[in-house]
Amino acid sequence: MAFLRVVSLVVVAALAAGLQPMMAHAAEKFAAMTVDARNGKVLYAENADAIRHPASLTKMMTLYLVFQDLAAGKITLDTPIRMSARATGMAPSKLGVKAGNSITVETAIRALVVKSANDVAAAVAENLGGSESAFAQRMTRTARNIGMSRTTFLNASGLPNPGQVTTARDMATLGLRLMRDYPQYYPYFRTRSFVFQGKTIKGHNRLLGSYEGTDGIKTGYIAASGFNLVSSVRRGDKRLVGVVLGGKTGASRDAYMKQMLSKYFDDATGGRTIAAYAGSAKGAKATEETATAAAEEAAPAAKPARKEAAAKRLPAKKTKASEEQVAAATPVEPSEQGDTEDGVDSMASLAAQAAAPATTGTTTTATTTTEQPAQQVETVPQPMAEQDATQQPADQAQMASIAAGTDAGWTISLGDYATKSDAQAVLQMTRKRTPDVIAGKTAQTVMVEKKGQITYRARFTGFDESTAAVACKAIKKKKTPCQPQGPS
């Protein structure tokens, strides 16, 4: 009851401010911010400095570095981006370029903005940074240099990684810096579709074309983050940057963004400058903004201060209706809906894959009763071969995070499989069959390359030596291979 009263106050506060209550947003994921792009003033903030997962908002920084290299003359829009086997093995969303083929930098930009293509993000990182890990280190260094003090990047796509974190404030700052630092390239963010190999590819950002003045920036979703959105909206000489993190659905996130921005437009300042930081006017810079017939355009940014200058907080006014809405709200893991561009590694999609017949290899069939329909028979793919304990993963960034857990350094490996869906099916079925020994652990699929062959390793992390041994003993009883592995 005490928890309910606390949550009720938050909901009622939002009602009093004229915003719809965030019933569709898990409290542990939600954060929001509205910034006046002209001077960096924070007009609204909720959990602005709380640690969150960026999902595909990560690609904003990937693009920032692309723009940085373009401006420095290190690359051109026609520079080829070669797709490696590793890059093509990324989880969806993907552009689908075959390994060994190339696309231009400009096509890569459009694919990142519109399709949110994870294969392209990995390829860009490899081509510009030598490796994705090296590129991610550059991303983090750049984040610090531009005032994003609480952001860490471990990959270029935003695919699930527990250590890849950010805040609403940092994402607002990044949105500003894209406009301020690279106004000549920022207009790419207004792209709603593009044609690739004769096919029209449409984007995920539904505010473009539906909310007056919107010119970007980026959507994102993974199970750990909820539905994320950074938006830039210009009306006349006023411009706001909004951030919403942790939406339960794309629709509820978009609706909240519209309400939030609409409420604070009257408080915005007119002008032609773009702030460098969310929370400070320092570094604001005059920038030439281009407008389109649809009122979608470009812009730049200003500098940060920890304290918001009169940031509006929401007064509380308790209502019975709001309490009933809170009580009715139940957290649900999002399935494939709206803009799930960061891949399909949600619980719902893994369950669907686990229930489907394996696409390769032999399978084992669980014992069933006469009342069980044939299509519900559990099938688990078998690993391709005996695992080599010395084999090193080629990509530790590609993982399917099913549950949060503290990694004590030990993992349990359930074998290497021909496809990622096979590996995911094994993870999901193992969670169903032995829930006690892997409760609270994180499931991962890791792409492994050995002698030119790519396989996908299924594993759980978050163990110590003794619990890993106990888990493997229980899993082996269910006829699934399991091997404890200590810290490398």
Side-chain angles (χ1 to χ4, degrees):
M1 289 303 295
F3 171 76
L4 182 59
R5 286 194 296 272
V6 171
V7 177
S8 298
L9 291 175
V10 174
V11 174
V12 177
L15 287 169
L19 301 179
Q20 291 298 314
M22 296 301 294
M23 293 301 93
H25 304 269
E28 71 278 7
K29 298 179 181 179
F30 174 67
M33 177 173 265
T34 300
V35 177
D36 187 335
R38 300 304 180 200
N39 55 25
K41 181 179 179 181
V42 175
L43 303 177
Y44 174 73
E46 185 71 29
N47 299 327
D49 297 304
I51 295 298
R52 300 290 185 259
H53 295 291
S56 265
L57 300 188
T58 296
K59 296 182 179 79
M60 291 167 59
M61 179 57 81
T62 301
L63 285 162
Y64 186 92
L65 297 189
V66 172
F67 298 160
Q68 191 176 71
D69 285 357
L70 284 167
K74 295 180 180 179
I75 57 175
T76 71
L77 291 173
D78 294 324
T79 297
I81 299 295
R82 185 179 182 278
M83 300 295 296
S84 68
R86 177 185 174 279
T88 60
M90 293 293 116
S93 177
K94 297 162 69 171
L95 190 60
V97 182
K98 292 183 179 179
N101 291 349
S102 297
I103 59 175
T104 65
V105 165
E106 185 165 31
T107 296
I109 292 171
R110 296 185 187 279
L112 293 174
V113 170
V114 178
K115 179 67 173 173
S116 199
N118 296 322
D119 53 350
V120 173
V124 166
E126 292 170 351
N127 280 260
L128 300 189
S131 69
E132 186 167 16
S133 61
F135 189 80
Q137 291 173 16
R138 179 185 168 192
M139 292 170 70
T140 301
R141 289 196 304 270
T142 302
R144 296 293 181 273
N145 290 339
I146 66 173
M148 300 170 65
S149 62
R150 307 196 73 186
T151 295
T152 298
F153 294 111
L154 297 177
N155 62 53
S157 63
L159 283 170
N161 190 313
Q164 184 134 318
V165 295
T166 190
T167 66
R169 183 190 302 277
D170 281 1
M171 282 293 116
T173 292
L174 181 54
L176 290 168
R177 294 304 289 253
L178 282 160
M179 291 184 282
R180 173 189 180 273
D181 297 348
Y182 303 108
Q184 70 272 42
Y185 301 119
Y186 176 77
Y188 280 112
F189 284 103
R190 73 166 70 109
T191 307
R192 296 165 63 183
S193 65
F194 74 107
V195 177
F196 180 71
Q197 295 182 342
K199 180 182 178 181
T200 299
I201 298 174
K202 296 183 179 180
H204 306 284
N205 192 342
R206 292 171 179 79
L207 264 68
L208 287 170
S210 69
Y211 185 64
E212 181 188 353
T214 303
D215 60 7
I217 299 176
K218 191 75 186 71
T219 63
Y221 166 80
I222 56 174
S225 70
F227 287 84
N228 297 342
L229 177 63
V230 176
S231 292
S232 173
V233 178
R234 180 181 135 188
R235 296 177 183 174
D237 61 355
K238 294 182 177 182
R239 181 185 285 277
L240 295 181
V241 169
V243 180
V244 175
L245 307 179
K248 182 179 175 183
T249 67
S252 64
R253 171 205 63 194
D254 292 351
Y256 191 85
M257 178 68 80
K258 293 176 182 179
Q259 294 164 12
M260 181 174 68
L261 294 178
S262 294
K263 178 171 179 59
Y264 291 101
F265 244 108
D266 288 344
D267 298 334
T269 302
R272 306 300 296 181
T273 59
I274 299 294
Y277 309 93
S280 173
K282 293 180 180 179
K285 177 182 174 183
T287 303
E288 193 65 31
E289 297 177 321
T290 59
T292 68
E296 299 167 349
E297 71 251 65
K303 191 169 183 175
R306 271 294 153 203
K307 295 184 179 179
E308 273 64 81
K312 295 191 176 181
R313 306 310 296 173
L314 305 177
K317 190 174 183 180
K318 195 169 184 178
T319 66
K320 181 178 179 181
S322 64
E323 289 193 26
E324 290 174 348
Q325 286 174 301
V326 175
T330 56
V332 178
E333 196 72 19
S335 59
E336 291 184 279
Q337 53 185 317
D339 52 350
T340 55
E341 70 270 29
D342 293 307
V344 293
D345 294 332
S346 64
M347 283 291 289
S349 62
L350 285 176
Q353 291 172 358
T359 56
T360 62
T362 59
T363 62
T364 58
T365 303
T367 303
T368 62
T369 66
T370 56
E371 296 179 350
Q372 185 177 25
Q375 64 267 28
Q376 292 184 4
V377 175
E378 296 180 340
T379 60
V380 179
Q382 293 301 296
M384 291 191 63
E386 189 68 24
Q387 182 166 309
D388 181 356
T390 64
Q391 187 175 350
Q392 295 299 314
D395 176 23
Q396 299 212 15
Q398 180 164 257
M399 43 172 86
S401 182
I402 296 179
T406 302
D407 190 349
W410 279 73
T411 66
I412 58 171
S413 177
L414 309 185
D416 293 352
Y417 298 83
T419 68
K420 184 173 182 179
S421 61
D422 284 350
Q424 290 174 334
V426 171
L427 291 168
Q428 180 67 8
M429 203 62 68
T430 301
R431 189 177 288 283
K432 290 171 60 179
R433 291 175 171 177
T434 56
D436 293 340
V437 295
I438 56 175
K441 308 307 180 187
T442 298
Q444 299 178 347
T445 58
V446 180
M447 187 171 69
V448 176
E449 184 174 2
K450 184 180 181 182
K451 297 180 180 178
Q453 182 180 23
I454 293 177
T455 58
Y456 295 86
R457 180 167 301 165
R459 71 183 190 184
F460 286 97
T461 69
F463 298 89
D464 56 29
E465 184 174 5
S466 62
T467 56
V470 170
C472 273
K473 183 177 181 180
I475 291 169
K476 287 178 179 178
K477 287 182 179 179
K478 299 297 182 181
K479 307 302 182 184
T480 299
C482 185
Q483 177 182 335
Q485 294 180 333
S488 57

